[in-house]
Amino acid sequence: MAKYTKLDINDQGVATLTLNRPDVHNAFDDVMIAELLQALKEVEESASARVLVLRSEGKNFSAGADLKWMRSMADKNYQQNVDDAGELGLLMERLDLLSKPSIALVQGAAFGGAVGLAACCDIVLAQPRSSFCLSEVKIGLIPAVISPYVVRTIGERQSRRYMLTAERFFADKAQELGLVNEVVEDFEEPLNKLLEALLANSPQAVDACKQLIRNVGSRPVDKDVREHTIKAIAEIRVSEQGQEGLSAFLEKRPAAWLKQS
């Protein structure tokens, strides 16, 4: 049984993964990382899960890495630190590459590695007083493992500022930087609208679209990219859900995946 996380998959296919360590502001250690990895594996392999919602208990989303745990790692040797960082790296990768769309709900503080979690999700909702900080350099560290996802999300120029200064910034600035999609007072209504929109779409097409974005993002529009997009649309057109979606549209009836959700 999980100690620091909760996973629930409801009848509509919404998988809710909750960080549940509010007494330490949902700071993560090796135990929580292992639990999150297992939960994401379950969501990925679940035939019923269609969307992931990442949220947390308490007033803060996550304080990032647990400092006591980080201090204990400082007493380990280099290889032990490589192995440990590899688990956090795998967590970011698994969340980033999840085939189902993901939504992060950020309340309160999201510091350090928690910014990485947000950057790895497809959609981020934050409350107005939510705050973000790439705080690692304050304690003599660097945001290494999360850097590919954060730099991709907010850009190199803004990363130079916020990773080097460790300034705290709030939801409006996070939205301006591209880290947050929408600033909301309360999560439930905007979350329900997003879930309704996502669940109306073909699961197969959503997965393929996520792959498409990864494959063409930040690349020059050259011959390889053009050929990739041509093959991608051809593959989805002849796929089972591509055929079903086009038929349902032309026949003016609900697609089969709507009946299943």
Side-chain angles (χ1 to χ4, degrees), residues 183-206:
V183 180
V184 298
E185 290 288 345
D186 182 76
F187 290 131
E188 297 314 310
E189 184 177 348
L191 173 62
N192 288 335
K193 287 182 179 179
L194 285 171
L195 293 174
E196 182 179 359
L198 290 166
L199 292 171
N201 300 330
S202 155
Q204 189 175 5
V206 167

CSV table of all heavy atoms in Angstrom, one decimal, residues 183-206:
chain,number,residue,atom,x,y,z
A,183,VAL,N,-4.9,30.5,-14.9
A,183,VAL,CA,-5.0,30.8,-13.5
A,183,VAL,C,-6.4,30.9,-13.1
A,183,VAL,O,-7.2,31.6,-13.7
A,183,VAL,CB,-4.3,32.2,-13.3
A,183,VAL,CG1,-4.3,32.6,-11.8
A,183,VAL,CG2,-2.8,32.2,-13.8
A,184,VAL,N,-6.8,30.1,-12.1
A,184,VAL,CA,-8.2,30.0,-11.6
A,184,VAL,C,-8.3,30.1,-10.1
A,184,VAL,O,-7.4,29.7,-9.4
A,184,VAL,CB,-8.8,28.6,-12.1
A,184,VAL,CG1,-8.7,28.5,-13.6
A,184,VAL,CG2,-8.0,27.4,-11.5
A,185,GLU,N,-9.4,30.6,-9.7
A,185,GLU,CA,-9.6,30.7,-8.2
A,185,GLU,C,-9.9,29.3,-7.6
A,185,GLU,O,-9.4,28.9,-6.6
A,185,GLU,CB,-10.8,31.6,-7.9
A,185,GLU,CG,-10.6,33.0,-8.2
A,185,GLU,CD,-9.6,33.7,-7.2
A,185,GLU,OE1,-9.4,33.1,-6.1
A,185,GLU,OE2,-9.1,34.8,-7.4
A,186,ASP,N,-10.7,28.5,-8.4
A,186,ASP,CA,-11.1,27.2,-7.9
A,186,ASP,C,-10.9,26.2,-9.0
A,186,ASP,O,-11.1,26.5,-10.2
A,186,ASP,CB,-12.5,27.1,-7.5
A,186,ASP,CG,-13.0,25.8,-6.9
A,186,ASP,OD1,-12.6,25.4,-5.8
A,186,ASP,OD2,-13.7,25.0,-7.7
A,187,PHE,N,-10.4,25.0,-8.7
A,187,PHE,CA,-10.0,24.0,-9.7
A,187,PHE,C,-11.2,23.3,-10.4
A,187,PHE,O,-11.1,23.0,-11.6
A,187,PHE,CB,-9.0,23.0,-9.2
A,187,PHE,CG,-7.7,23.5,-8.8
A,187,PHE,CD1,-7.1,23.2,-7.6
A,187,PHE,CD2,-6.9,24.2,-9.7
A,187,PHE,CE1,-5.8,23.6,-7.3
A,187,PHE,CE2,-5.7,24.7,-9.4
A,187,PHE,CZ,-5.1,24.4,-8.2
A,188,GLU,N,-12.2,23.0,-9.6
A,188,GLU,CA,-13.2,22.0,-10.1
A,188,GLU,C,-13.9,22.3,-11.4
A,188,GLU,O,-14.0,21.5,-12.3
A,188,GLU,CB,-14.2,21.7,-8.9
A,188,GLU,CG,-13.5,21.2,-7.7
A,188,GLU,CD,-12.5,20.1,-8.0
A,188,GLU,OE1,-12.9,19.1,-8.7
A,188,GLU,OE2,-11.4,20.2,-7.4
A,189,GLU,N,-14.4,23.5,-11.5
A,189,GLU,CA,-15.2,23.9,-12.8
A,189,GLU,C,-14.3,23.8,-14.0
A,189,GLU,O,-14.6,23.2,-15.0
A,189,GLU,CB,-15.9,25.2,-12.6
A,189,GLU,CG,-16.7,25.5,-13.9
A,189,GLU,CD,-17.5,26.8,-13.7
A,189,GLU,OE1,-17.6,27.3,-12.6
A,189,GLU,OE2,-18.1,27.3,-14.8
A,190,PRO,N,-13.1,24.6,-14.0
A,190,PRO,CA,-12.3,24.5,-15.2
A,190,PRO,C,-11.7,23.1,-15.4
A,190,PRO,O,-11.5,22.7,-16.6
A,190,PRO,CB,-11.2,25.5,-14.9
A,190,PRO,CG,-11.2,25.8,-13.4
A,190,PRO,CD,-12.6,25.6,-13.0
A,191,LEU,N,-11.4,22.3,-14.3
A,191,LEU,CA,-11.0,21.0,-14.5
A,191,LEU,C,-12.0,20.1,-15.2
A,191,LEU,O,-11.7,19.4,-16.1
A,191,LEU,CB,-10.6,20.4,-13.1
A,191,LEU,CG,-10.2,18.9,-13.2
A,191,LEU,CD1,-9.0,18.6,-14.0
A,191,LEU,CD2,-10.0,18.4,-11.7
A,192,ASN,N,-13.3,20.2,-14.7
A,192,ASN,CA,-14.3,19.4,-15.3
A,192,ASN,C,-14.5,19.8,-16.8
A,192,ASN,O,-14.8,18.9,-17.6
A,192,ASN,CB,-15.6,19.7,-14.6
A,192,ASN,CG,-15.6,19.0,-13.2
A,192,ASN,OD1,-14.9,18.0,-13.0
A,192,ASN,ND2,-16.4,19.5,-12.3
A,193,LYS,N,-14.4,21.0,-17.2
A,193,LYS,CA,-14.5,21.4,-18.6
A,193,LYS,C,-13.3,20.8,-19.4
A,193,LYS,O,-13.6,20.3,-20.5
A,193,LYS,CB,-14.4,22.9,-18.7
A,193,LYS,CG,-15.7,23.7,-18.3
A,193,LYS,CD,-15.6,25.2,-18.5
A,193,LYS,CE,-16.9,25.9,-18.0
A,193,LYS,NZ,-16.8,27.3,-18.2
A,194,LEU,N,-12.1,20.8,-18.9
A,194,LEU,CA,-11.0,20.2,-19.6
A,194,LEU,C,-11.2,18.7,-19.7
A,194,LEU,O,-11.0,18.1,-20.8
A,194,LEU,CB,-9.7,20.4,-18.8
A,194,LEU,CG,-9.1,21.8,-18.9
A,194,LEU,CD1,-8.0,22.0,-18.0
A,194,LEU,CD2,-8.6,22.1,-20.4
A,195,LEU,N,-11.7,18.0,-18.6
A,195,LEU,CA,-11.9,16.6,-18.7
A,195,LEU,C,-13.0,16.2,-19.7
A,195,LEU,O,-12.9,15.3,-20.5
A,195,LEU,CB,-12.3,16.1,-17.3
A,195,LEU,CG,-11.2,16.1,-16.2
A,195,LEU,CD1,-11.8,15.7,-14.9
A,195,LEU,CD2,-10.0,15.2,-16.6
A,196,GLU,N,-14.1,17.0,-19.7
A,196,GLU,CA,-15.1,16.8,-20.7
A,196,GLU,C,-14.6,16.9,-22.1
A,196,GLU,O,-14.9,16.0,-23.0
A,196,GLU,CB,-16.3,17.8,-20.5
A,196,GLU,CG,-17.4,17.6,-21.4
A,196,GLU,CD,-18.5,18.6,-21.2
A,196,GLU,OE1,-18.4,19.5,-20.3
A,196,GLU,OE2,-19.6,18.6,-21.9
A,197,ALA,N,-13.8,17.9,-22.4
A,197,ALA,CA,-13.2,18.1,-23.7
A,197,ALA,C,-12.2,16.9,-24.1
A,197,ALA,O,-12.3,16.4,-25.2
A,197,ALA,CB,-12.4,19.4,-23.8
A,198,LEU,N,-11.4,16.5,-23.1
A,198,LEU,CA,-10.4,15.5,-23.4
A,198,LEU,C,-11.1,14.1,-23.6
A,198,LEU,O,-10.7,13.3,-24.5
A,198,LEU,CB,-9.4,15.4,-22.3
A,198,LEU,CG,-8.4,16.6,-22.2
A,198,LEU,CD1,-7.7,16.6,-20.8
A,198,LEU,CD2,-7.4,16.6,-23.3
A,199,LEU,N,-12.1,13.8,-22.8
A,199,LEU,CA,-12.7,12.5,-22.9
A,199,LEU,C,-13.6,12.4,-24.1
A,199,LEU,O,-14.0,11.3,-24.5
A,199,LEU,CB,-13.5,12.3,-21.6
A,199,LEU,CG,-12.7,12.1,-20.3
A,199,LEU,CD1,-13.6,12.1,-19.1
A,199,LEU,CD2,-11.9,10.8,-20.4
A,200,ALA,N,-13.9,13.5,-24.8
A,200,ALA,CA,-14.7,13.4,-26.0
A,200,ALA,C,-13.8,13.0,-27.2
A,200,ALA,O,-14.4,12.7,-28.3
A,200,ALA,CB,-15.3,14.8,-26.3
A,201,ASN,N,-12.5,13.0,-27.0
A,201,ASN,CA,-11.6,12.7,-28.2
A,201,ASN,C,-11.2,11.3,-28.2
A,201,ASN,O,-11.2,10.6,-27.2
A,201,ASN,CB,-10.4,13.7,-28.0
A,201,ASN,CG,-10.8,15.1,-28.0
A,201,ASN,OD1,-11.8,15.5,-28.6
A,201,ASN,ND2,-10.0,15.9,-27.3
A,202,SER,N,-10.7,10.9,-29.4
A,202,SER,CA,-10.2,9.5,-29.6
A,202,SER,C,-9.0,9.3,-28.8
A,202,SER,O,-8.0,10.0,-28.9
A,202,SER,CB,-9.9,9.3,-31.1
A,202,SER,OG,-8.9,8.3,-31.3
A,203,PRO,N,-9.0,8.3,-27.9
A,203,PRO,CA,-7.7,8.0,-27.1
A,203,PRO,C,-6.5,7.7,-28.0
A,203,PRO,O,-5.4,8.1,-27.7
A,203,PRO,CB,-8.1,6.7,-26.3
A,203,PRO,CG,-9.6,6.8,-26.2
A,203,PRO,CD,-10.1,7.4,-27.5
A,204,GLN,N,-6.8,7.0,-29.1
A,204,GLN,CA,-5.7,6.7,-30.0
A,204,GLN,C,-5.1,7.9,-30.7
A,204,GLN,O,-3.9,8.1,-30.9
A,204,GLN,CB,-6.2,5.7,-31.1
A,204,GLN,CG,-5.1,5.1,-32.0
A,204,GLN,CD,-5.6,4.0,-32.9
A,204,GLN,OE1,-6.8,3.8,-33.0
A,204,GLN,NE2,-4.7,3.4,-33.7
A,205,ALA,N,-6.0,8.8,-31.1
A,205,ALA,CA,-5.6,10.1,-31.7
A,205,ALA,C,-4.9,11.0,-30.7
A,205,ALA,O,-3.9,11.7,-31.1
A,205,ALA,CB,-6.8,10.8,-32.3
A,206,VAL,N,-5.3,11.0,-29.5
A,206,VAL,CA,-4.7,11.8,-28.5
A,206,VAL,C,-3.2,11.4,-28.2
A,206,VAL,O,-2.3,12.2,-28.2
A,206,VAL,CB,-5.5,11.8,-27.2
A,206,VAL,CG1,-4.7,12.4,-26.0
A,206,VAL,CG2,-6.8,12.6,-27.3
